């Protein structure tokens, strides 16, 4: 049975320390992470900041970043694919040697919050022991198994979860709808396009983690 750990860590233990230090208003929401190389990982992320040009210039100078590609721009958010190297060595080890999967990560100048899923408690325990031996600095918030995950966020970031809850409470999912996307965007102090994309990402993550990842039937 899979085991899940949620923890926080300072930027110097993960990635983008220099970028986030120079742009303290930036907020990063990692959508997914690919670890195909034993020395690097490729995150796909959404970024909110008040100066994207300066943020991207900082990425170019950040020693933990290579090969930045921007995929989309909603005006309020931009999505990027990039390669991380350097200080993320231990995280790469967690993802490869111990079969960990990052299902949630939020980053800011205050640090990173991560949720990592391991195939079982033994793998999580081995990763934790390796972290202690390596002097890896992190603060564990909670550890639980998939039997306890019904109350967790099902692969959603906090922003995505709050958006879905707000949409539900406003009657966006009722038939007929009790509120429009434009009205909901105004309530959320967001643009129509940004909220629409956030809802789609949240719904996709929810479906994947609930029905696909957990192996539920794919029939009718």
């Amino acid at each position: 049975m899979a085991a899940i750990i949620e923890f926080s860590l300072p930027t110097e233990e993960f990635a983008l320390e220099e970028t986030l230090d120079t742009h303290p208003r930036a907020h990063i929401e990692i959508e997914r992470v690919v670890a195909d190389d034993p020395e690097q990982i490729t995150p796909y992320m959404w970024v909110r900041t008040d100066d994207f040009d300066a943020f991207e210039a900082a990425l170019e100078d950040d020693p933990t970043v290579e090969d930045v590609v921007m995929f989309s721009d909603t005006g309020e958010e931009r999505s990027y694919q990039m390669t991380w190297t350097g200080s993320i060595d231990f995280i790469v080890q967690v993802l490869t040697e111990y079969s960990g999967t990052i299902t949630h990560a939020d980053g800011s100048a205050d640090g990173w919050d991560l949720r990592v899923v391991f195939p079982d408690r033994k793998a999580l325990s081995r990763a934790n022991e390796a972290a202690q031996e390596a002097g890896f600095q992190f603060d564990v918030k909670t550890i639980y198994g998939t039997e306890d995950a019904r109350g967790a966020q099902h692969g959603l970031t906090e922003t995505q979860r709050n958006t879905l809850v707000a949409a539900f409470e406003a009657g966006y999912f009722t038939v007929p709808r009790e509120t429009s996307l434009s009205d909901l965007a105004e309530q959320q102090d967001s643009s129509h396009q940004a909220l629409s994309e956030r809802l789609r990402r949240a719904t996709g993550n929810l479906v994947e983690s609930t029905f696909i990842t957990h192996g539920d039937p794919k029939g009718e």
Side-chain angles (χ1 to χ4, degrees):
M1 186 172 295
I4 303 164
I5 181 171
E6 296 182 6
F7 60 96
S8 60
L9 68 164
T11 55
E12 60 265 25
E13 291 284 4
F14 194 33
L16 304 184
E17 177 184 6
E18 292 189 9
T19 298
L20 291 172
D21 280 349
T22 56
H23 294 275
R25 295 185 181 180
H27 181 268
I28 297 171
E29 184 179 306
I30 293 181
E31 194 167 59
R32 62 191 177 96
V33 174
V34 177
D36 294 328
D37 189 294
E39 296 182 355
Q40 62 186 30
I41 61 176
T42 302
Y44 296 78
M45 65 182 66
W46 285 87
V47 177
R48 295 191 299 277
T49 184
D50 55 0
D51 189 339
F52 282 106
D53 290 339
F55 179 82
E56 291 173 3
L59 287 177
E60 293 294 330
D61 295 330
D62 196 309
T64 64
V65 178
E66 295 179 359
D67 305 323
V68 179
V69 178
M70 186 184 74
F71 282 130
S72 63
D73 182 355
T74 70
E76 295 180 352
E77 296 178 301
R78 289 185 182 180
S79 65
Y80 300 91
Q81 172 193 330
M82 62 187 71
T83 299
W84 284 353
T85 61
S87 61
I88 47 79
D89 288 348
F90 182 75
I91 294 297
V92 173
Q93 182 183 6
V94 165
L95 298 179
T96 54
E97 184 173 345
Y98 303 110
S99 302
T101 300
I102 296 176
T103 61
H104 163 87
D106 275 349
S108 69
D110 295 328
W112 288 89
D113 292 313
L114 280 79
R115 181 189 301 126
V116 181
V117 179
F118 291 90
D120 50 43
R121 295 265 180 175
K122 183 177 180 181
L124 189 156
S125 178
R126 289 173 55 212
N128 184 55
E129 290 176 0
Q132 299 294 338
E133 292 176 0
F136 189 69
Q137 300 296 315
F138 64 104
D139 180 24
V140 176
K141 295 181 178 179
T142 183
I143 297 175
Y144 52 95
T146 51
E147 72 275 12
D148 303 315
R150 186 173 296 274
Q153 294 182 3
H154 297 289
L156 301 174
T157 68
E158 183 178 358
T159 299
Q160 290 171 349
R161 179 183 181 279
N162 290 341
T163 299
L164 283 176
V165 170
F168 179 84
E169 292 178 343
Y172 180 74
F173 297 112
T174 61
V175 180
R177 284 178 173 165
E178 298 176 8
T179 189
S180 67
L181 187 61
S182 296
D183 290 340
L184 189 61
E186 185 176 350
Q187 295 170 19
Q188 295 288 305
D189 193 25
S190 177
S191 70
H192 183 285
Q193 183 179 359
L195 183 63
S196 175
E197 294 198 10
R198 191 176 304 134
L199 280 170
R200 290 202 302 273
R201 295 200 304 272
T203 303
N205 287 352
L206 185 61
V207 169
E208 180 180 10
S209 64
T210 304
F211 299 113
I212 309 302
T213 303
H214 294 142
D216 285 7
K218 297 181 181 180
E220 300 180 2

